[in-house]
Coordinates of all heavy atoms in Angstrom, one line a residue:
M797 N 80.9 150.5 134.4 CA 80.1 150.6 133.2 C 81.1 150.4 132.0 O 80.9 149.6 131.1 CB 79.5 151.9 133.1 CG 78.4 152.1 132.0 SD 77.1 150.8 132.2 CE 75.7 151.6 131.4
K798 N 82.2 151.1 132.0 CA 83.2 151.0 131.0 C 83.8 149.6 130.9 O 83.9 149.0 129.8 CB 84.3 152.0 131.2 CG 85.0 152.5 129.9 CD 86.0 153.6 130.3 CE 86.6 154.1 129.0 NZ 87.6 155.2 129.3
N799 N 84.0 149.0 132.1 CA 84.6 147.7 132.1 C 83.6 146.6 131.5 O 84.0 145.7 130.8 CB 84.9 147.2 133.6 CG 86.2 147.9 134.0 OD1 87.0 148.3 133.2 ND2 86.4 147.9 135.4
L800 N 82.3 146.9 131.8 CA 81.3 146.0 131.2 C 81.3 146.0 129.7 O 81.2 144.9 129.1 CB 79.9 146.4 131.8 CG 78.7 145.5 131.4 CD1 79.0 144.1 132.0 CD2 77.4 146.1 131.9
L801 N 81.4 147.2 129.1 CA 81.4 147.3 127.7 C 82.6 146.6 127.1 O 82.5 145.9 126.1 CB 81.5 148.8 127.3 CG 80.1 149.5 127.2 CD1 80.3 151.0 126.9 CD2 79.3 148.8 126.1
I802 N 83.8 146.8 127.8 CA 85.0 146.1 127.3 C 84.8 144.6 127.4 O 85.2 143.9 126.4 CB 86.2 146.6 128.1 CG1 86.5 148.0 127.8 CG2 87.4 145.7 127.9 CD1 87.5 148.7 128.7
A803 N 84.2 144.1 128.5 CA 84.0 142.7 128.6 C 83.1 142.1 127.5 O 83.3 141.1 127.0 CB 83.4 142.4 130.0
I804 N 82.1 142.9 127.2 CA 81.2 142.5 126.1 C 81.9 142.4 124.7 O 81.8 141.5 124.0 CB 79.9 143.4 126.0 CG1 79.0 143.2 127.3 CG2 79.1 143.2 124.7 CD1 78.0 144.3 127.5
L805 N 82.7 143.5 124.5 CA 83.4 143.5 123.2 C 84.4 142.4 123.1 O 84.5 141.7 122.1 CB 84.2 144.9 123.1 CG 83.3 146.1 122.8 CD1 84.1 147.4 122.9 CD2 82.7 145.9 121.4
L806 N 85.1 142.1 124.2 CA 86.1 141.0 124.3 C 85.4 139.7 124.1 O 85.8 138.9 123.3 CB 86.8 141.0 125.6 CG 88.0 142.0 125.8 CD1 88.6 141.9 127.1 CD2 89.1 141.7 124.7
G807 N 84.2 139.6 124.7 CA 83.5 138.4 124.6 C 83.0 138.1 123.2 O 83.1 137.0 122.7
S808 N 82.6 139.1 122.5 CA 82.1 138.9 121.1 C 83.2 138.6 120.2 O 83.1 137.8 119.3 CB 81.3 140.1 120.7 OG 82.1 141.3 120.7
T809 N 84.4 139.3 120.4 CA 85.5 139.0 119.5 C 86.0 137.5 119.7 O 86.5 136.9 118.8 CB 86.7 140.0 119.6 OG1 87.0 140.0 121.0 CG2 86.3 141.3 119.1
L810 N 85.9 137.1 120.9 CA 86.4 135.7 121.2 C 85.4 134.6 120.7 O 85.8 133.6 120.2 CB 86.6 135.5 122.7 CG 87.9 136.2 123.3 CD1 87.9 136.1 124.8 CD2 89.1 135.7 122.6
T811 N 84.1 134.9 120.8 CA 83.2 133.9 120.5 C 82.9 133.8 119.0 O 82.6 132.8 118.4 CB 81.9 134.0 121.2 OG1 81.4 135.3 121.1 CG2 82.0 133.7 122.7
L812 N 83.0 135.0 118.3 CA 82.6 135.0 116.9 C 83.4 134.1 116.0 O 82.9 133.3 115.3 CB 82.7 136.4 116.3 CG 81.4 137.3 116.5 CD1 81.6 138.7 115.9 CD2 80.3 136.6 115.8
P813 N 84.8 134.1 116.1 CA 85.5 133.1 115.3 C 85.2 131.7 115.6 O 85.1 130.8 114.7 CB 87.0 133.4 115.7 CG 87.0 134.8 116.2 CD 85.6 134.9 116.9
A814 N 84.9 131.4 116.9 CA 84.6 130.0 117.2 C 83.3 129.6 116.6 O 83.2 128.5 116.1 CB 84.5 129.9 118.8
L815 N 82.3 130.5 116.6 CA 81.0 130.2 116.0 C 81.1 130.0 114.5 O 80.5 129.2 113.9 CB 80.0 131.3 116.4 CG 79.5 131.2 117.8 CD1 78.6 132.5 118.0 CD2 78.7 130.0 118.1
A816 N 82.0 130.9 113.9 CA 82.1 130.9 112.5 C 82.8 129.6 112.0 O 82.5 129.1 110.9 CB 82.9 132.1 112.0
A817 N 83.7 129.1 112.8 CA 84.5 127.9 112.4 C 83.7 126.6 112.5 O 83.9 125.7 111.7 CB 85.8 127.8 113.3
Q818 N 82.7 126.6 113.4 CA 82.0 125.3 113.6 C 81.2 124.8 112.4 O 81.3 123.7 112.0 CB 81.2 125.4 114.8 CG 82.0 125.1 116.0 CD 81.2 124.7 117.2 OE1 80.0 124.9 117.3 NE2 81.9 124.1 118.2
P819 N 80.3 125.7 111.8 CA 79.5 125.2 110.7 C 80.4 124.7 109.5 O 80.1 123.7 108.9 CB 78.7 126.4 110.2 CG 78.7 127.3 111.4 CD 80.1 127.0 112.1
A820 N 81.5 125.4 109.2 CA 82.4 125.0 108.2 C 83.0 123.6 108.4 O 83.0 122.8 107.5 CB 83.5 126.0 108.0
A821 N 83.4 123.3 109.6 CA 84.0 122.1 110.0 C 83.0 120.9 109.9 O 83.3 119.9 109.3 CB 84.5 122.1 111.4
S822 N 81.8 121.1 110.3 CA 80.8 120.0 110.3 C 80.3 119.8 108.8 O 80.0 118.7 108.4 CB 79.6 120.3 111.2 OG 79.0 121.6 110.9
A823 N 80.3 120.9 108.0 CA 79.9 120.8 106.6 C 80.9 119.9 105.9 O 80.6 119.1 105.1 CB 79.8 122.2 106.0
N824 N 82.2 120.2 106.2 CA 83.2 119.3 105.5 C 83.1 117.9 105.9 O 83.2 117.0 105.0 CB 84.6 119.8 106.1 CG 85.1 121.0 105.3 OD1 84.5 121.4 104.4 ND2 86.2 121.5 105.8
A825 N 82.8 117.6 107.1 CA 82.7 116.2 107.6 C 81.5 115.5 106.9 O 81.6 114.3 106.5 CB 82.5 116.1 109.1
S826 N 80.4 116.2 106.6 CA 79.2 115.5 106.1 C 79.1 115.6 104.6 O 78.5 114.7 104.0 CB 78.0 116.2 106.7 OG 77.9 117.5 106.3
A827 N 79.8 116.5 104.0 CA 79.7 116.7 102.5 C 80.5 115.5 101.9 O 81.3 114.9 102.4 CB 80.4 118.0 102.1
E828 N 80.1 115.2 100.6 CA 80.7 114.1 99.9 C 82.0 114.6 99.3 O 82.0 114.8 98.1 CB 79.8 113.5 98.8 CG 78.4 113.4 99.2 CD 77.5 114.4 98.4 OE1 77.2 114.1 97.3 OE2 77.2 115.5 99.0
A829 N 83.0 114.6 100.1 CA 84.4 115.0 99.6 C 84.5 116.4 99.0 O 85.3 116.6 98.2 CB 84.8 113.9 98.6
A830 N 83.6 117.2 99.4 CA 83.5 118.5 98.8 C 84.8 119.3 98.7 O 85.2 119.6 97.6 CB 82.5 119.4 99.5
V831 N 85.5 119.5 99.7 CA 86.7 120.3 99.6 C 88.0 119.6 100.2 O 89.0 120.3 100.3 CB 86.5 121.6 100.3 CG1 85.6 122.5 99.5 CG2 86.0 121.4 101.8
S832 N 87.9 118.4 100.7 CA 89.1 117.8 101.3 C 89.9 117.0 100.3 O 89.4 116.1 99.7 CB 88.7 117.0 102.6 OG 88.2 115.8 102.2
W833 N 91.2 117.3 100.2 CA 92.1 116.6 99.3 C 92.9 115.6 100.1 O 93.3 115.8 101.2 CB 93.0 117.6 98.6 CG 92.4 118.5 97.6 CD1 91.8 119.7 97.9 CD2 92.2 118.3 96.2 NE1 91.3 120.3 96.8 CE2 91.6 119.4 95.7 CE3 92.7 117.3 95.4 CZ2 91.3 119.6 94.3 CZ3 92.4 117.4 94.0 CH2 91.7 118.6 93.5
S834 N 93.1 114.4 99.5 CA 93.9 113.4 100.1 C 95.1 113.2 99.2 O 95.1 113.5 98.0 CB 93.1 112.1 100.2 OG 92.0 112.3 101.0
Q835 N 96.2 112.7 99.8 CA 97.5 112.5 99.1 C 97.6 111.0 98.7 O 97.1 110.1 99.5 CB 98.7 112.8 100.0 CG 98.6 114.2 100.6 CD 98.7 115.3 99.5 OE1 99.5 115.2 98.6 NE2 97.8 116.3 99.6
G836 N 98.2 110.7 97.6 CA 98.4 109.4 97.2 C 99.5 109.2 96.2 O 100.1 110.2 95.7
E837 N 99.8 108.0 95.9 CA 100.9 107.6 94.9 C 100.2 106.6 94.0 O 99.6 105.6 94.4 CB 102.1 107.1 95.6 CG 103.3 107.0 94.6 CD 104.5 106.5 95.3 OE1 104.9 107.1 96.4 OE2 105.2 105.5 94.8
V838 N 100.4 106.8 92.7 CA 99.8 105.9 91.7 C 100.5 104.6 91.6 O 101.7 104.6 91.4 CB 99.7 106.6 90.3 CG1 99.0 105.7 89.3 CG2 99.0 108.0 90.4
R839 N 99.7 103.5 91.7 CA 100.2 102.2 91.6 C 99.9 101.5 90.3 O 100.6 100.7 89.8 CB 99.7 101.3 92.8 CG 100.4 101.6 94.1 CD 101.8 101.1 94.1 NE 102.4 101.3 95.4 CZ 103.4 102.2 95.6 NH1 103.8 102.9 94.6 NH2 104.0 102.3 96.7
K840 N 98.7 101.9 89.8 CA 98.2 101.3 88.5 C 97.2 102.2 87.9 O 96.4 102.8 88.6 CB 97.6 100.0 88.8 CG 97.3 99.1 87.6 CD 96.7 97.8 88.0 CE 96.2 97.0 86.7 NZ 95.5 95.8 87.1
V841 N 97.2 102.4 86.6 CA 96.2 103.2 85.9 C 95.5 102.2 84.9 O 96.1 101.6 84.1 CB 96.9 104.4 85.1 CG1 95.8 105.1 84.3 CG2 97.6 105.3 86.1
D842 N 94.2 102.1 85.0 CA 93.4 101.3 84.1 C 92.5 102.2 83.3 O 91.3 102.5 83.7 CB 92.6 100.3 84.9 CG 91.7 99.4 84.1 OD1 91.6 99.6 82.8 OD2 91.1 98.5 84.6
L843 N 93.0 102.7 82.1 CA 92.2 103.7 81.3 C 90.9 103.1 80.9 O 89.8 103.7 81.0 CB 93.0 104.1 80.1 CG 93.9 105.4 80.4 CD1 94.8 105.6 79.1 CD2 93.1 106.6 80.7
A844 N 91.0 101.8 80.3 CA 89.8 101.2 79.7 C 88.7 100.9 80.8 O 87.6 101.2 80.6 CB 90.2 99.9 79.1
G845 N 89.2 100.5 82.0 CA 88.2 100.2 83.1 C 87.9 101.4 83.9 O 87.1 101.4 84.8
Q846 N 88.5 102.6 83.5 CA 88.3 103.8 84.3 C 88.5 103.6 85.8 O 87.6 104.0 86.6 CB 86.9 104.4 84.0 CG 86.8 105.9 83.9 CD 85.5 106.4 83.4 OE1 85.1 106.0 82.3 NE2 84.8 107.2 84.1
K847 N 89.7 103.1 86.1 CA 90.0 102.8 87.5 C 91.5 103.2 87.7 O 92.3 103.2 86.8 CB 89.9 101.3 87.8 CG 88.4 100.8 87.9 CD 88.4 99.3 88.1 CE 87.0 98.8 88.0 NZ 86.8 97.5 87.6
I848 N 91.7 103.5 89.0 CA 93.1 103.8 89.4 C 93.4 103.1 90.7 O 92.5 103.0 91.6 CB 93.3 105.3 89.4 CG1 94.8 105.6 89.6 CG2 92.5 105.9 90.6 CD1 95.1 107.1 89.4
T849 N 94.6 102.6 90.8 CA 95.1 102.0 92.1 C 96.0 103.0 92.8 O 96.9 103.4 92.2 CB 95.8 100.7 91.9 OG1 95.0 99.8 91.1 CG2 96.1 100.0 93.2
L850 N 95.6 103.4 94.0 CA 96.4 104.4 94.7 C 96.9 103.8 96.1 O 96.1 103.1 96.8 CB 95.5 105.6 95.0 CG 95.1 106.4 93.8 CD1 94.1 107.5 94.2 CD2 96.3 107.1 93.1
R851 N 98.1 104.2 96.4 CA 98.5 104.0 97.8 C 98.2 105.4 98.4 O 98.9 106.3 98.0 CB 100.0 103.7 97.8 CG 100.5 103.4 99.2 CD 101.9 102.8 99.2 NE 102.9 103.8 98.8 CZ 103.6 104.6 99.7 NH1 103.4 104.4 101.0 NH2 104.4 105.5 99.3
H852 N 97.3 105.4 99.3 CA 96.8 106.7 99.7 C 96.9 106.9 101.2 O 97.0 105.9 102.0 CB 95.3 106.9 99.3 CG 94.3 106.0 100.0 ND1 93.9 106.2 101.3 CD2 93.7 104.9 99.6 CE1 93.1 105.3 101.7 NE2 92.9 104.5 100.6
G853 N 97.0 108.1 101.6 CA 97.0 108.6 103.0 C 95.6 108.6 103.5 O 94.7 108.1 102.8
P854 N 95.4 109.0 104.7 CA 94.1 109.1 105.3 C 93.1 109.9 104.4 O 93.5 110.9 103.9 CB 94.2 109.7 106.7 CG 95.6 110.3 106.7 CD 96.4 109.6 105.6
I855 N 91.9 109.4 104.3 CA 90.8 110.2 103.5 C 89.8 110.6 104.5 O 88.9 109.8 104.9 CB 90.3 109.3 102.4 CG1 91.4 108.8 101.5 CG2 89.3 110.1 101.5 CD1 90.9 107.9 100.3
Q856 N 89.9 111.8 104.9 CA 89.0 112.3 106.0 C 87.5 112.3 105.6 O 86.6 111.9 106.3 CB 89.3 113.8 106.3 CG 90.8 114.0 106.6 CD 91.0 114.2 108.1 OE1 90.1 114.5 108.8 NE2 92.2 113.9 108.6
S857 N 87.2 112.6 104.3 CA 85.8 112.7 103.9 C 85.1 111.4 104.0 O 83.9 111.5 104.1 CB 85.8 113.3 102.4 OG 86.6 112.4 101.6
V858 N 85.7 110.3 103.8 CA 85.0 109.0 103.9 C 85.5 108.2 105.1 O 85.2 107.0 105.2 CB 85.1 108.2 102.6 CG1 84.4 108.9 101.5 CG2 86.5 108.0 102.2
G859 N 86.4 108.8 106.0 CA 86.9 108.1 107.2 C 87.7 106.9 106.9 O 87.5 105.9 107.5
M860 N 88.6 107.0 105.9 CA 89.4 105.8 105.5 C 90.8 106.0 105.9 O 91.4 107.0 105.7 CB 89.3 105.7 104.0 CG 89.8 104.3 103.5 SD 89.8 104.2 101.8 CE 88.1 104.0 101.4
P861 N 91.4 105.0 106.5 CA 92.8 105.0 106.9 C 93.7 104.8 105.7 O 93.2 104.4 104.6 CB 93.0 103.9 107.9 CG 92.0 102.9 107.5 CD 90.8 103.7 106.9
P862 N 95.0 105.1 105.8 CA 96.0 104.8 104.7 C 96.0 103.4 104.3 O 95.9 102.5 105.1 CB 97.3 105.2 105.3 CG 97.0 106.1 106.5 CD 95.7 105.6 107.0
M863 N 96.0 103.2 102.9 CA 96.1 101.8 102.4 C 96.3 101.9 100.9 O 96.4 103.0 100.3 CB 94.7 101.1 102.6 CG 93.6 101.7 101.8 SD 92.0 100.9 102.1 CE 91.5 101.6 103.7
T864 N 96.5 100.8 100.2 CA 96.5 100.7 98.8 C 95.2 100.1 98.3 O 94.9 99.0 98.8 CB 97.7 99.9 98.3 OG1 98.9 100.5 98.8 CG2 97.8 99.8 96.8
M865 N 94.6 100.7 97.3 CA 93.3 100.1 96.9 C 92.9 100.7 95.5 O 93.6 101.6 95.0 CB 92.2 100.5 97.8 CG 91.9 102.0 97.9 SD 90.6 102.5 99.1 CE 89.2 102.3 98.1
V866 N 91.9 100.1 94.9 CA 91.4 100.5 93.6 C 90.3 101.4 93.7 O 89.4 101.2 94.6 CB 91.0 99.2 92.7 CG1 90.5 99.7 91.4 CG2 92.1 98.2 92.6
F867 N 90.3 102.5 93.0 CA 89.2 103.5 93.0 C 88.6 103.5 91.6 O 89.3 103.4 90.6 CB 89.6 104.9 93.3 CG 90.1 105.1 94.7 CD1 91.4 105.0 95.0 CD2 89.2 105.5 95.6 CE1 91.9 105.2 96.3 CE2 89.6 105.7 97.0 CZ 90.9 105.6 97.3
G868 N 87.3 103.6 91.5 CA 86.7 104.1 90.2 C 87.0 105.5 90.0 O 87.3 106.2 91.0
V869 N 86.9 106.0 88.8 CA 87.2 107.4 88.5 C 86.0 108.0 87.8 O 85.4 107.4 86.9 CB 88.5 107.5 87.5 CG1 88.7 108.9 87.2 CG2 89.7 106.8 88.2
R870 N 85.6 109.2 88.2 CA 84.4 109.9 87.7 C 84.4 110.0 86.2 O 83.4 109.7 85.6 CB 84.3 111.3 88.4 CG 83.1 112.1 87.9 CD 83.0 113.4 88.7 NE 84.2 114.2 88.7 CZ 84.6 115.0 87.8 NH1 83.8 115.2 86.7 NH2 85.7 115.8 87.8
E871 N 85.5 110.4 85.6 CA 85.6 110.4 84.2 C 87.0 110.1 83.7 O 88.0 110.4 84.4 CB 85.2 111.7 83.6 CG 85.8 112.9 84.2 CD 85.3 114.2 83.7 OE1 84.0 114.4 83.7 OE2 86.0 115.1 83.2
A872 N 87.1 109.4 82.6 CA 88.4 108.9 82.1 C 89.4 110.0 81.9 O 90.6 109.9 82.1 CB 88.3 108.2 80.8
A873 N 88.9 111.2 81.6 CA 89.8 112.4 81.4 C 90.7 112.7 82.6 O 91.8 113.2 82.4 CB 88.9 113.6 81.0
L874 N 90.2 112.3 83.8 CA 91.0 112.6 85.0 C 92.3 111.8 85.0 O 93.3 112.1 85.6 CB 90.2 112.2 86.2 CG 89.1 113.2 86.6 CD1 88.3 112.6 87.8 CD2 89.6 114.6 87.0
L875 N 92.3 110.7 84.2 CA 93.5 109.8 84.2 C 94.5 110.3 83.1 O 95.6 109.7 83.1 CB 93.1 108.4 83.9 CG 92.1 107.8 85.0 CD1 91.7 106.4 84.5 CD2 92.9 107.6 86.3
Q876 N 94.1 111.2 82.3 CA 95.1 111.7 81.3 C 96.3 112.3 81.9 O 96.2 113.1 82.8 CB 94.4 112.8 80.4 CG 93.2 112.3 79.6 CD 93.6 111.2 78.5 OE1 94.7 111.4 77.9 NE2 92.8 110.2 78.4
G877 N 97.5 111.9 81.4 CA 98.7 112.4 81.9 C 99.1 111.9 83.3 O 100.1 112.3 83.9
I878 N 98.4 110.9 83.8 CA 98.7 110.3 85.1 C 99.4 109.0 84.9 O 99.0 108.2 84.1 CB 97.4 110.1 86.0 CG1 96.7 111.4 86.2 CG2 97.8 109.4 87.3 CD1 97.4 112.3 87.2
S879 N 100.6 108.8 85.5 CA 101.4 107.6 85.3 C 101.7 106.9 86.7 O 101.7 107.6 87.7 CB 102.7 108.0 84.7 OG 102.5 108.7 83.5
V880 N 102.0 105.6 86.6 CA 102.5 104.9 87.7 C 103.7 105.6 88.4 O 104.6 106.0 87.7 CB 102.8 103.4 87.3 CG1 103.4 102.7 88.5 CG2 101.5 102.7 86.9
G881 N 103.6 105.7 89.7 CA 104.7 106.3 90.4 C 104.4 107.8 90.7 O 105.1 108.4 91.6
D882 N 103.5 108.4 90.0 CA 103.2 109.8 90.2 C 102.6 110.0 91.6 O 101.8 109.3 92.1 CB 102.1 110.3 89.2 CG 102.6 110.6 87.8 OD1 103.9 110.4 87.7 OD2 101.9 110.9 87.0
K883 N 103.0 111.1 92.2 CA 102.4 111.6 93.5 C 101.2 112.4 93.1 O 101.3 113.4 92.2 CB 103.4 112.5 94.3 CG 104.6 111.7 94.7 CD 104.5 111.3 96.2 CE 105.8 111.0 96.8 NZ 106.5 109.9 96.2
V884 N 100.0 112.1 93.7 CA 98.8 112.9 93.3 C 98.1 113.3 94.5 O 98.3 112.9 95.6 CB 97.9 112.0 92.5 CG1 98.5 111.6 91.1 CG2 97.5 110.7 93.2
R885 N 97.2 114.3 94.3 CA 96.2 114.6 95.3 C 94.9 114.4 94.7 O 94.7 114.6 93.4 CB 96.4 116.1 95.8 CG 96.3 117.2 94.8 CD 96.7 118.5 95.4 NE 96.0 119.6 94.7 CZ 95.2 120.4 95.3 NH1 95.0 120.4 96.6 NH2 94.6 121.4 94.7
F886 N 93.9 114.0 95.5 CA 92.6 113.6 94.9 C 91.5 113.8 95.9 O 91.7 113.9 97.1 CB 92.7 112.2 94.4 CG 92.9 111.2 95.5 CD1 91.9 110.4 96.1 CD2 94.2 111.0 96.0 CE1 92.1 109.6 97.1 CE2 94.5 110.1 97.1 CZ 93.4 109.4 97.6
Q887 N 90.3 113.8 95.4 CA 89.0 113.8 96.2 C 88.2 112.6 96.0 O 88.2 112.1 94.8 CB 88.2 115.1 95.9 CG 89.0 116.4 96.2 CD 88.1 117.6 96.0 OE1 86.9 117.5 95.7 NE2 88.7 118.7 96.2
V888 N 87.6 112.1 97.0 CA 86.9 110.8 96.9 C 85.4 111.0 97.3 O 85.1 111.8 98.3 CB 87.5 109.7 97.8 CG1 86.6 108.5 97.9 CG2 88.9 109.4 97.3
E889 N 84.5 110.3 96.6 CA 83.1 110.4 97.0 C 82.7 108.9 97.2 O 83.0 108.1 96.3 CB 82.4 111.0 95.9 CG 80.9 111.3 96.2 CD 80.3 112.2 95.0 OE1 80.8 113.3 94.8 OE2 79.4 111.7 94.4
Q890 N 81.9 108.6 98.2 CA 81.4 107.3 98.4 C 80.1 107.1 97.7 O 79.2 107.9 97.9 CB 81.3 106.9 99.9 CG 80.9 105.5 100.1 CD 81.1 105.0 101.5 OE1 81.3 105.8 102.4 NE2 80.9 103.7 101.7
Q891 N 79.9 106.1 96.8 CA 78.7 105.9 96.1 C 78.3 104.4 96.4 O 78.8 103.5 95.8 CB 78.8 106.1 94.7 CG 79.1 107.6 94.3 CD 79.3 107.9 92.8 OE1 79.2 107.0 92.0 NE2 79.6 109.1 92.5
G892 N 77.4 104.2 97.5 CA 77.1 102.9 97.9 C 78.4 102.3 98.5 O 79.0 102.8 99.4
S893 N 78.8 101.1 98.0 CA 80.0 100.5 98.5 C 81.2 100.9 97.7 O 82.3 100.4 97.9 CB 79.8 98.9 98.5 OG 79.6 98.5 97.1
Q894 N 81.0 101.7 96.7 CA 82.1 102.1 95.8 C 82.7 103.4 96.3 O 82.0 104.3 96.7 CB 81.5 102.4 94.4 CG 80.9 101.1 93.7 CD 81.8 100.6 92.7 OE1 82.8 99.9 93.1 NE2 81.6 100.8 91.5
F895 N 84.0 103.5 96.0 CA 84.7 104.8 96.2 C 85.2 105.3 94.9 O 85.9 104.7 94.2 CB 85.9 104.6 97.2 CG 85.4 104.3 98.6 CD1 85.4 103.0 99.0 CD2 85.0 105.3 99.5 CE1 84.9 102.7 100.3 CE2 84.5 105.0 100.7 CZ 84.5 103.7 101.2
I896 N 84.7 106.5 94.6 CA 85.0 107.1 93.3 C 85.8 108.4 93.4 O 85.6 109.3 94.3 CB 83.6 107.6 92.6 CG1 82.6 106.4 92.6 CG2 83.9 108.2 91.2 CD1 83.0 105.3 91.7
V897 N 86.9 108.4 92.7 CA 87.8 109.6 92.6 C 87.1 110.6 91.8 O 86.8 110.4 90.6 CB 89.2 109.3 92.0 CG1 90.0 110.5 91.8 CG2 90.0 108.4 93.0
T898 N 86.8 111.8 92.4 CA 86.1 112.8 91.6 C 87.0 113.9 91.1 O 86.6 114.6 90.2 CB 85.0 113.4 92.5 OG1 85.6 113.9 93.7 CG2 83.9 112.4 92.9
E899 N 88.1 114.1 91.8 CA 89.1 115.0 91.3 C 90.5 114.4 91.5 O 90.7 113.6 92.4 CB 89.1 116.3 92.1 CG 87.8 117.1 92.0 CD 87.5 117.7 90.7 OE1 88.5 117.8 89.9 OE2 86.3 118.0 90.3
L900 N 91.4 114.6 90.5 CA 92.7 114.0 90.6 C 93.7 115.0 89.9 O 93.5 115.4 88.8 CB 92.7 112.7 89.8 CG 94.0 111.9 89.7 CD1 94.3 111.3 91.1 CD2 93.8 110.7 88.8
Q901 N 94.8 115.3 90.6 CA 95.8 116.2 90.1 C 97.2 115.7 90.5 O 97.3 115.1 91.6 CB 95.6 117.6 90.8 CG 94.4 118.3 90.4 CD 94.2 119.6 91.1 OE1 95.1 120.0 91.9 NE2 93.1 120.3 90.9
A902 N 98.1 116.0 89.7 CA 99.5 115.7 90.0 C 99.9 116.6 91.2 O 99.5 117.7 91.3 CB 100.4 116.0 88.8
A903 N 100.6 116.0 92.2 CA 100.9 116.8 93.4 C 102.4 117.1 93.4 O 103.2 116.4 92.7 CB 100.6 116.0 94.6
E904 N 102.8 118.1 94.0 CA 104.2 118.4 94.1 C 104.7 118.6 95.5 O 103.9 119.0 96.4 CB 104.6 119.7 93.4 CG 106.0 119.8 92.9 CD 106.5 118.4 92.5 OE1 106.1 117.9 91.5 OE2 107.4 117.9 93.2
Ligands
CU1373 CU1 91.4 103.1 100.9

């Protein structure tokens, strides 16, 4: 009887974290770049066109491998203080065939 209780307790402590981790992981995968940051290096800043060229690492939220490409930027203010050569971290949202940077910060 005592052993059974211990087994149930052990079972619940082992399964609870696993259950708790799963919804969070699948939510990340399906959300539009909600919480996943990607790393990049600035190649070009186009303030007037509200665009930025980044050499970026993998972008999990949209399933993109590392490459250099142009992104639209959600708002021009995100480009303030960003210069060519800066290391940045950023979030991306896919809008149709476009990839839009929704958050952009200098990285260290
Ligand atoms: Cu890309």
Side-chain angles (χ1 to χ4, degrees):
M797 196 55 155
K798 207 173 184 181
N799 282 343
L800 183 61
L801 274 176
I802 289 167
I804 290 166
L805 285 172
L806 279 176
S808 59
T809 51
L810 286 174
T811 52
L812 272 179
L815 285 174
Q818 278 200 340
S822 54
N824 279 352
S826 61
E828 319 111 78
V831 289
S832 78
W833 290 87
S834 300
Q835 306 296 317
E837 190 178 310
V838 179
R839 286 289 183 249
K840 189 178 173 188
V841 177
D842 179 355
L843 271 174
Q846 215 168 305
K847 286 178 187 152
I848 190 168
T849 306
L850 294 171
R851 184 168 72 92
H852 68 77
I855 306 178
Q856 306 260 337
S857 55
V858 294
M860 194 186 282
M863 68 182 79
T864 298
M865 64 181 277
V866 180
F867 290 93
V869 177
R870 180 172 53 84
E871 54 184 51
L874 287 173
L875 297 174
Q876 296 296 322
I878 300 291
S879 308
V880 172
D882 284 357
K883 298 259 200 299
V884 293
R885 61 190 206 118
F886 62 99
Q887 295 184 6
V888 171
E889 192 172 295
Q890 185 168 7
Q891 294 177 4
S893 59
Q894 300 256 76
F895 292 96
I896 306 295
V897 171
T898 56
E899 297 294 340
L900 181 67
Q901 297 176 358
E904 204 38 64

